[in-house]
Amino acid sequence: GPKIGILTSGGDAQGMNAAVRAVVRTALVIGATPMAIQEGWQGAVDNSIRELSWSDVSSILNQGGTIIGTARSQEFREKEGRLAAAENLINHGIDKLVVIGGDGSLTGTDCFRNEWSELLSELVAAGRITQAQADAHPFLAVVGLVGSIDNDLVGSDMTIGADSALHRIVDAIDALSSTAASHQRTFVVEVMGRHCGYLALMSAVAGGCDYVLIPERPPVDDWEEDMCRALTAGREAGRRESIVLVAEGACSADGERIDAHQVAAVLKERMDVDARVTILGHVQRGGTPSAYDRWMPTVLGYAAVQTVLEQEPGEPAVILGVRHNRIARLDLVTAVAQTRNIATLIEEKNFEEAVAARGRSFTE
Ligand code: F6P
């Protein structure tokens, strides 16, 4: 049967293992051979590729991270690295791939896919593979699944890992709330999410926080005053704790980054409050996947195998995401371009468009 390569790339996310397991077992059931490309694209460059058996993916459903390793490969960004990757894939007979990663990894994968025949010609000319090998694998089929706690992919309601990260953050907020309430304290909590405020916004709502700062929509001009007013109102209403949530990419209306320590300094200066700062960091990306991050990637992994086997030469690469609680088939290039566009809008300080685009990505 056909060989299907599977790799996880970019930052890890809870639920990647569920996707790996589903791809492996679906492949085996239909008579294909699943091949792990280990440590992301770096494993293709280094020829760290091995066949996976049914039991290799036993008991991983409840584990965070990815058992086949991940990396942000520098070598794969260079032509030499991609030539080596193509040579190794060809030698293993792999021309179908399921790639689980963020938008950066999926873009890199699509470039590699478009470059495939050019790479093979160069390898043949250099005597590194035979013409017969090149002819046997005229095109690379690619299906992407989005593994990222950030939930930043335009076109998919959820990405693999976002729900687990949200759970982790809300657990932390609950834990901080009880100690904060005991002392009538204020906490500033910083969460991940690069260019996407999803984790900050949703955990602020779920955790009942007082104020939130996200990248897409910078606060009103005098955010310092606005925040202090919100916190004061909370205390006047009888709240014993105050919690301000800051996304790591939060910025002010003039585009300056706002970090958690800065927020605490503002609280000290304006309210004479000794706020405690908690930066959650990679705790958000580790640990047990939620139930959703087990069944959703399982369904997607199953569908990814079907889709990669059906892909015809000339068809564009696809991402399988989730839309209205159903599997959604997205054009990889479009979804990634729209995702990048929001990051660019934020960098260009075009916040109005950024927030409109983010809103559309969830409602349309
Ligand atoms: O994209 C996932 C993410 O966790 C972001 O939220 C964060 O900005 C980044 O990765 C952190 O990267 P690293 O793991 O390289 O520190």
Side-chain angles (χ1 to χ4, degrees):
K3 286 187 172 172
I4 300 176
I6 173 156
L7 66 93
T8 48
S9 177
D12 70 311
Q14 306 96 325
M16 280 182 162
N17 278 331
V20 170
R21 174 178 172 273
V23 169
V24 168
R25 292 193 167 173
T26 306
L28 289 171
V29 165
I30 62 174
T33 307
M35 304 288 291
I37 298 159
Q38 305 179 112
E39 320 305 333
W41 276 111
Q42 191 60 38
V45 176
D46 296 341
N47 201 20
S48 177
I49 299 172
R50 70 180 176 111
E51 195 176 324
L52 288 176
S53 70
W54 188 271
S55 62
D56 283 333
V57 293
S58 290
S59 311
I60 65 168
L61 199 52
N62 57 356
Q63 286 176 31
T66 161
I67 60 151
I68 57 173
T70 185
R72 296 189 169 116
S73 170
Q74 190 48 47
E75 278 180 88
F76 187 70
R77 285 169 205 262
E78 283 145 33
K79 183 76 176 281
E80 256 329 295
R82 292 196 298 278
L83 278 167
E87 180 180 7
N88 292 327
L89 292 183
I90 288 283
N91 282 328
H92 283 281
I94 300 170
D95 61 10
K96 296 176 189 351
L97 289 180
V98 177
V99 178
I100 309 162
D103 62 334
S105 305
L106 295 175
T107 310
T109 303
D110 192 56
C111 294
F112 182 65
R113 179 184 191 265
N114 293 330
E115 220 185 6
W116 181 252
S117 51
E118 185 191 322
L119 292 172
L120 297 201
S121 303
E122 276 193 43
L123 290 169
V124 171
R128 289 165 67 174
I129 59 168
T130 65
Q131 187 62 52
Q133 280 182 298
D135 291 345
H137 306 285
F139 114 105
L140 185 68
V142 169
V143 171
L145 301 182
V146 192
S148 167
I149 63 164
D150 299 351
N151 202 22
D152 55 350
L153 191 94
V154 174
S156 185
D157 294 341
M158 287 298 269
T159 57
I160 296 169
D163 186 62
S164 303
L166 206 49
H167 276 272
R168 198 106 323 120
I169 297 167
V170 171
D171 279 349
I173 293 171
D174 289 348
L176 293 172
S177 295
S178 65
T179 173
S182 304
H183 290 264
Q184 300 201 47
R185 261 185 184 147
T186 299
F187 273 76
V188 182
V189 182
E190 186 179 297
V191 302
M192 281 184 164
R194 218 178 294 231
H195 296 295
C196 186
Y198 177 87
L199 290 175
L201 190 58
M202 293 312 180
S203 54
V205 172
C209 298
D210 295 82
Y211 204 74
V212 61
L213 301 164
I214 61 169
E216 294 92 334
R217 187 192 281 280
V220 291
D221 280 342
D222 194 356
W223 66 271
E224 292 94 334
E225 197 50 42
D226 195 46
M227 173 180 70
C228 294
R229 213 179 299 127
L231 263 54
T232 306
R235 290 302 168 108
E236 282 172 4
R239 252 169 96 69
R240 290 180 56 87
E241 77 276 26
S242 309
I243 299 189
V244 178
L245 218 66
V246 188
E248 64 174 331
C251 42
S252 63
D254 54 15
E256 291 303 311
R257 261 221 62 197
I258 302 171
D259 71 23
H261 291 288
Q262 234 171 297
V263 174
V266 168
L267 293 169
K268 177 74 194 163
E269 191 188 300
R270 303 217 177 186
M271 296 177 79
D272 196 27
V273 155
D274 274 323
R276 294 293 194 269
V277 173
T278 302
I279 296 172
L280 291 180
H282 288 76
V283 160
Q284 297 162 85
R285 240 163 65 187
T288 311
S290 66
Y292 181 78
D293 277 331
R294 299 182 199 195
W295 72 256
M296 182 268 277
T298 298
V299 172
L300 291 183
Y302 168 81
V305 172
Q306 316 284 336
T307 309
V308 84
L309 289 174
E310 284 164 12
Q311 208 167 95
E312 302 274 358
E315 276 179 14
V318 297
I319 289 178
L320 295 183
V322 180
R323 205 75 184 144
H324 310 304
N325 231 9
R326 293 280 182 278
I327 295 175
R329 205 187 156 99
L330 311 169
D331 179 72
L332 187 148
V333 175
T334 310
V336 168
Q338 288 175 343
T339 300
R340 285 282 159 93
N341 182 44
I342 297 183
T344 307
L345 288 170
I346 293 169
E347 266 152 31
E348 290 170 350
K349 301 173 191 176
N350 189 347
F351 298 112
E352 209 168 307
E353 266 304 306
V355 79
R358 182 74 74 207
R360 277 198 301 277
S361 84
F362 284 104
T363 52
E364 273 176 8

